[in-house]
Amino acid sequence: MTTGVIPGGHNPEPRPTGERMPQQRHQPGQASPHVETRSRSSVITARAAATFEPVGRSVATARSFVRDTLQGWGFADVVDDAVVLTSELVTNAVVHAGTHADVLCLRTDDGVRIEVADRYPEREVPLQGSAVNMGSPDREGGRGLQLCAALAARWGVEYTSTHKNVWFQLDLPERPVGTRAAGPSLPADLLPLADGRVRVAVVQIDRKGSISAWNEDAEEIFGHTATEVTGKPLTDLAAWPHTPGTGTGIAEALQLSRWEGSYGIRGADGRVTPVYASHLRVRDTGGEPSTVCLLVRDHERAVLQTPLRLPASDAGGSSDGQSSDPFEVFIGSPAPDDLDGLLQRTVERARDMLDGDSAFLLLATDDETELEVRASTGLPSARQRFARVPVEAGPGRYGSARMPAVHDDLAAVPGAVPLLAGTGMRSVVTVPLKVEGRLTGSLGVAAEAPGRYSNEEALRLQFAADRIALAVESARLGELERLRRGSLSFLVEASDLLAGTLDRDQTLALMAQMTVPTLATWCAVYTIADQASDPYLSYVLHEDEELIDGIKSLLAKVPPPDPVPTPGARVWTAPGEHAHQAALRSSMRSLGLTGGPTRQVSAGIGPTLATASAVGGETVVLPLVARNRVIGMLTLGKPTDEHFRQEILELAEDLSRRAALALDNARLYSERTAISQALQRSLLPPGTPHIEGMEVEVIYRAAGEGNEVGGDFYDVFPIDDNAYGFAIGDVCGTGPNAAAVTGLARHALRLLAREGLSGPAVLERLNSAILDEGARSRFLTLLYGEMRPQEDGSAEMKVVCAGHPLPLRLRQDGTVEAAAEPQPLLGVIEDLELYEQTVTLDPGDVLLCVTDGVTERREGTRMLGDDGLADVLTTCTGLTAGAVAARIMRAVERFASDAPSDDMAILAMRVPGLQKD
């Protein structure tokens, strides 16, 4: 966004000189004086301009720009209309037209003119008097001109070859000289007392919150000189109150266009001087915002404080004849803008109004069966927020929160007001809060003395409750809307996190971490393996890590909650009771006391007092139900004297449903993974046998996450005392289907070879077995051979290569050659005629066998190939079989950066070299 402010000057026309006269649009249904056909001449005293990018956030930025500009010019009377019109017109430009929006504010003697131009001129220029349909006011866009016609004194539309410009004029209302707001006239002896001359400190705060101006009266009141405080943040000097009901901090107060209130300023002597302040947000001609603070000593607040409107009984005598607002008379002005602040202010004012010792306000749940304590004063902490009491506490009208009630002496009717049980309160008056006949809450005032209240006090309190009920309900609905939006975001994020893992332990940890501390102070997750198993404590988390072990120890001694499938949260009292007993035992041992109640308590070391306090509040259990089965419980807890609010429990219930499904998915995945791994391991050879006079090394890599066996396979096994069989093959495809053929081939080779059949006979029978599988059959490439170590230190190899990559022989001189000829693969045709070839490995020679996952390793258009494999093998002269296999695997892995997409198997066999004397 680019902005500029141009002060002063006379300009007969708002548009730049030399611009051609634009055509105007006349809107049907509006009187012609409201739509200008040409701009009126006026004296422009100030300009402010800004350009906004075509993004959604620009609308809010444009609103702030216009509001700050007009507030700085002192045009508060027309700010709201100007902001509404600007918002609609900028929305049309940046959202609907998709172009930059140029906003120009022009200050004149009698009002303000605002122009909004977009850069989308490709539209029809309407003719004068032509019928124009502005559309429905309920549609998403297109309301800008309708609002201009309704709110602006004058407005118009101008077109150029590059821009479309909509402007509107807002005239300032008549401001007759006189009093705008005033308090009653008072006798001189009742006027506030001032110590000598009343001093008004004037302090200016820049946009960073630092002091930029400090007048002489400020020096006199607080003792700081201007030099000492200039450039310091006001927060270094201000003692801002942090009391219940105060929802605005000092930083927020300095950003408000207008604010009044009391706080303290630390003087040069270190003492805090209570002051009453009036803040005004201004903007200089350069566009720089700042806040001017006027401060007087608190007992002289009448100098600055805006007078409250008089009660209705005195309104008739006021000069302006305006009636007072009973809500503001009761709550005060300005009213707190947050629900908690409004409720706290309400109970404090209700207590003061009836001269009570305590007061409380409860809000009804959605089903109107319970009331939640939301604010109180003068009551113990156990009666504080979110404790719940039933709406119908007993028979008759005096036991229902739906009707006003006065109790002269609670001692005579114990339990009449459950909230006050054990508080020492004797008399109480309670009245309902209702909106359109629906119970929304209850307001009560109590006193320690009996007989304090009568029907007259009940009527006064009911009158006040009727005035605040709608405001309380509106604030409550606003809070619920914010909570629900936050809940939706929370559940979306939780679902994404839970869906991102199939690991059981990680799922348990996520469940706990999402609830603590967002929903509860501590959390425990119980899991149930099957219907016959008892719940097992699987995970515990507390926002204070030092208390986790203590809670685990406590819960291990408490029988787990019953796995009830009923949805919703239910209270679980066992942890709190056990914690209380453990704390009692610990305290008695520390005092050296024995006997008494401790004889009835089970022995053992209980948790610490800190742990007992941590779990001493409300504890609830939510079932984890997945696929119509209870698989565990989610336990949430609060520390001593704290309760869960209904909205939090509803959110926890939603989370428990998602967490249960994620936990069950993780369980199923773990079970199936374990089964798959067990089956896959059964397809692998039990091990490589030790062969006297030979070195044998195998490296095997299955493609795909979680796969231990794929379409490639190998085997080395004894046939008789002096002969060993070896095989390396590749089934078409990868994964479980290929692995099934792998198992068939490996086991068949062992059985047939041990029957004394030759290599070709073994492969011909295996070919028939594969074809017998029918539709499940897959073709197979296979290199099969038999090795027989010789007495002279060499080794005889009889090899059959059925469609497989040829084995490579590495001689001691570094030459590499193919050790067999290619023959047809298996699983394609029935009548195969295969033959075996004999290869003799001299001492130091290596026979390397690989699957095509090695030779077909790719990087872009390059492939390792047979020649690349041979080049790597030539560098392996003198290496052991294990070193040869490792070097081949490293070369394959380094050939491409991507993970291998095919199974790979490497079988290296080497005849050790002759020992020298």
Side-chain angles (χ1 to χ4, degrees), residues 595-657:
T598 58
R599 292 177 179 174
Q600 301 176 1
V601 179
S602 60
I605 301 177
T608 62
L609 293 176
T611 302
S613 176
V615 300
E618 189 175 45
T619 303
V620 298
V621 177
L622 297 104
L624 298 174
V625 181
R627 299 176 175 90
N628 299 321
R629 186 174 73 88
V630 180
I631 64 171
M633 284 86 70
L634 177 64
T635 303
L636 305 179
K638 288 279 190 179
T640 302
D641 297 336
E642 289 196 26
H643 300 267
F644 288 98
R645 63 186 304 177
Q646 187 64 30
E647 294 81 5
I648 295 298
L649 293 180
E650 292 174 357
L651 179 58
E653 186 178 355
D654 286 338
L655 176 63
S656 67
R657 288 195 291 267

Side-chain angles (χ1 to χ4, degrees), residues 397-398 400-405 430-432 434 462:
R397 58 166 294 183
Y398 295 107
S400 174
R402 302 181 187 276
M403 299 292 292
T430 61
V431 296
K434 293 185 177 181
Q462 185 68 71

